[in-house]
Amino acid sequence: MAKKLSFFARLSYGVFFFLSKYIIIAKTTIYKAENAARKDVEQMSKDKKLVEAITPINEDFARWYTDIVKNAELIDYSSVKGCVVLRPYGYAIWENVQRILDGMFKELGHENVYMPMFIPESLLQKEKDHVEGFAPEVAWVTHGGTEPLAERMCVRPTSETLFCEHYAHIIQSYRDLPKLYNQWCSVVRWEKTTRPFLRSREFLWQEGHTMHETSEEAVAETTRMLECYREFAEDYLMMPVVCGRKTDSEKFAGAEATYTIEAMMHDGKALQSGTSHYFGDGFAKAFDITFTARDNTLQHPFQTSWGVSTRIIGAIIMTHGDDNGLILPPAVAPIQVVITPVAQHKEGVLEAAAALKKRLKDAGIRVLCDDTDNSPGWKFAQYEMKGVPIRLEIGPRDIESGNCVLVRRDNGAKEVVALADIESTVHTQLDELAKALFERALNNRAQRSFTCATYGELEKAVEKDVGFYKTAWCG
RNA sequence: CCGGGUGUGGCGCAGCUGGUAGCGCGCUUGACUGGGGGUCAAGAGGCCGCAAGUUCAAGUCUUGUCACUCGGACCA
């Protein structure tokens, strides 16, 4: 088995165990852009007088991705490599992700805390595997002002060590367990190859760190949080995922087992979208965390950690987007409905648009009315680029007939709908759009999933088709 | 870390064998428009990455340097 795994590692394939007896092999390289197509697109953009053309998805997937993150105004590059500016629209997506996940965590009994961003070198080094895994990619702080520090400190790449130090202070008895903490923060990993959202040097995430009385309880927490992530991905982001366990070579540094949700991107590659780790009592021993058990013996607690990062935004883009730009699942879309007034200088149009906006807002829908004097065509293209799920057009004709035009972002379908019950119409359409996104992603995954009976068969198949492979030969 | 490429208005680029900087988009103002990226007119905006050198003269040539980028290596 070890030999086979190293073979896959060389090919940049991720290998992980499906939760049943299958393993799944999926290409997991981080996308890199290529130069070739750029000039053609720029030329095309000139010829067609388009404002911002993006590279077609089937021509160069990586370039398509970069064009979207820039043109949909999610990020701006900064002067620090691998560190991006999250612009209001991009950050708003993250805020929605935060709001939903945070609610789910609290429902499960977790509490939020905040740890320092600096870790003294000696603290990082307490757990051997952990430091070996992370030391090559941490950023170091060596000076305070002009004075060299007595001990250098790293900017947290993850906070296990800080949580452990703290837990050692506050856990005395089995009565103190479990401890279910989570924090929202940014971490720094000095990556050499960076891509917005997918692999950056600083990124935002949440990291949950829990301590338990028994290993059974900690294992249960690990799978409970993996299930939480699955539910979030599938029910809110409309992104089907495969739950599984990473091989030893890919598991978290210091963990006993790493579980993951893997989503298939539009091009058939896998993206690790959330992880949940079981640590056993390895860290507890290294950090000397003990508690008095029910039988009055001194024991080490069992630990888990789990995290989802802004990479999930990259997953949303690559799962649902198309040649016209981003498509956002309604649950996390900063704007769920955009209203574009037509012939807005004519009497009554802007007033009708404003009234429509108010009704939708009162119905709990995130709505924007774009009354700038850009042309309607420009607005259509702009909000398609930004992935707004539903567009409502309202002009003199509609006002007269008591209707408006509803356009769906996922399939472009246009429909004249009555203003009278617009709230329920929009709610229904948002729901249907969400379901359609999930179905489409599921179909894509099904079309790119294969089964191999033997190892030899698998070797040949992975060269031909990018996708997920199930094999039965590994028990 | 190794190799290739690129640095010129906000963005994308042109600028040949040296002669003192131009195009498209965007931006500003106004008018006409408006149901798929509108039209016209008038404007604003540049130490040509940085430093040194060659020259009467450097965006252009030479050297150095910095940054970015692509590929490789490295990387949960």
Side-chain angles (χ1 to χ4, degrees), chain A residues 208-275:
Chain A
H209 296 265
T210 69
M211 283 291 187
H212 304 266
E213 194 179 344
T214 64
S215 63
E216 292 75 23
E217 204 185 300
V219 167
E221 172 75 0
T222 311
T223 48
R224 178 172 82 146
M225 295 321 291
L226 189 71
E227 170 59 20
C228 174
Y229 288 156
R230 185 206 60 75
E231 184 186 336
F232 173 66
E234 297 196 336
D235 296 356
Y236 294 90
L237 305 183
M238 313 321 289
M239 194 168 76
V241 294
V242 176
C243 301
R245 182 178 160 185
K246 287 281 188 186
T247 57
D248 282 352
S249 63
E250 289 200 324
K251 80 180 179 190
F252 181 88
E256 281 200 10
T258 287
Y259 299 87
T260 160
I261 54 170
E262 302 271 341
M264 181 184 280
M265 302 298 99
H266 216 283
D267 63 349
K269 292 181 187 168
L271 189 71
Q272 178 180 302
S273 306
T275 51

Side-chain angles (χ1 to χ4, degrees), chain A residues 365-384:
Chain A
I365 292 159
R366 294 190 287 274
V367 58
L368 174 81
C369 176
D370 186 347
D371 56 5
T372 64
D373 58 4
N374 289 309
S375 74
W378 185 90
K379 291 177 189 173
F380 299 164
Q382 178 71 3
Y383 292 103
E384 278 166 13

Side-chain angles (χ1 to χ4, degrees), chain A residues 82-347:
Chain A
C83 297
V84 297
V85 176
L86 288 177
R87 302 181 66 185
Y89 194 67
Y91 195 73
I93 298 172
W94 180 240
E95 286 180 311
N96 286 332
V97 167
Q98 273 189 311
R99 181 174 45 76
I100 296 166
L101 272 180
D102 200 61
M104 293 171 87
F105 297 158
K106 284 176 178 155
E107 198 63 32
L108 293 172
H110 301 93
E111 299 173 283
N112 284 336
V113 296
Y114 187 79
M115 293 285 155
M117 79 184 306
F118 300 119
I119 305 174
E121 185 166 20
S122 56
L123 192 63
L124 186 71
Q125 282 177 336
K126 282 201 171 183
E127 212 285 338
K128 192 176 138 289
D129 290 340
H130 188 67
V131 68
E132 276 177 17
F134 281 105
E137 57 178 37
V138 294
W140 291 103
V141 176
T142 58
H143 285 70
T146 52
E147 302 285 311
L149 298 175
E151 179 185 9
R152 61 177 183 165
M153 298 186 291
C154 78
V155 182
R156 63 183 164 216
T158 178
S159 304
E160 271 74 12
T161 53
L162 291 163
F163 274 89
C164 284
E165 181 186 46
H166 176 59
Y167 280 142
H169 296 162
I170 63 167
I171 293 172
Q172 324 285 338
S173 152
Y174 73 90
R175 292 178 208 277
D176 297 324
L177 297 173
K179 278 279 178 273
L180 307 175
Y181 285 178
N182 174 65
Q183 82 166 338
W184 292 93
C185 65
S186 75
V187 290
V188 169
R189 300 177 187 183
W190 216 251
E191 306 284 356
K192 292 188 174 161
T193 302
T194 60
R195 303 278 292 144
F197 296 122
L198 301 176
R199 176 165 289 158
S200 45
R201 285 185 173 169
E202 180 186 12
F203 56 91
L204 302 179
W205 76 345
Q206 58 71 214
E207 47 179 329
H209 296 265
T210 69
M211 283 291 187
H212 304 266
E213 194 179 344
T214 64
S215 63
E216 292 75 23
E217 204 185 300
V219 167
E221 172 75 0
T222 311
T223 48
R224 178 172 82 146
M225 295 321 291
L226 189 71
E227 170 59 20
C228 174
Y229 288 156
R230 185 206 60 75
E231 184 186 336
F232 173 66
E234 297 196 336
D235 296 356
Y236 294 90
L237 305 183
M238 313 321 289
M239 194 168 76
V241 294
V242 176
C243 301
R245 182 178 160 185
K246 287 281 188 186
T247 57
D248 282 352
S249 63
E250 289 200 324
K251 80 180 179 190
F252 181 88
E256 281 200 10
T258 287
Y259 299 87
T260 160
I261 54 170
E262 302 271 341
M264 181 184 280
M265 302 298 99
H266 216 283
D267 63 349
K269 292 181 187 168
L271 189 71
Q272 178 180 302
S273 306
T275 51
S276 184
H277 315 288
Y278 171 65
F279 285 101
D281 58 2
F283 274 78
K285 284 177 175 161
F287 284 82
D288 204 18
I289 309 170
T290 57
F291 69 96
T292 307
R294 291 161 202 268
D295 61 2
N296 202 32
T297 59
L298 207 54
Q299 297 188 8
H300 296 290
F302 295 84
Q303 185 178 0
T304 81
S305 82
W306 26 274
V308 158
S309 74
T310 37
R311 178 183 278 181
I312 203 89
I313 296 174
I316 295 168
I317 297 167
M318 292 192 291
T319 302
H320 298 309
D322 66 14
D323 280 343
N324 291 327
L326 193 56
I327 301 181
L328 289 175
V332 295
I335 304 165
Q336 294 170 309
V337 174
V338 63
I339 299 169
T340 57
V342 174
Q344 62 188 31
H345 67 291
K346 292 197 175 139
E347 198 176 335

Side-chain angles (χ1 to χ4, degrees), chain A residues 355-365 367 423 427:
Chain A
L356 177 57
K357 176 188 171 181
K358 183 171 187 316
R359 281 178 62 189
L360 293 174
K361 193 181 170 205
D362 290 346
I365 292 159
V367 58
E423 293 92 341
H427 275 301

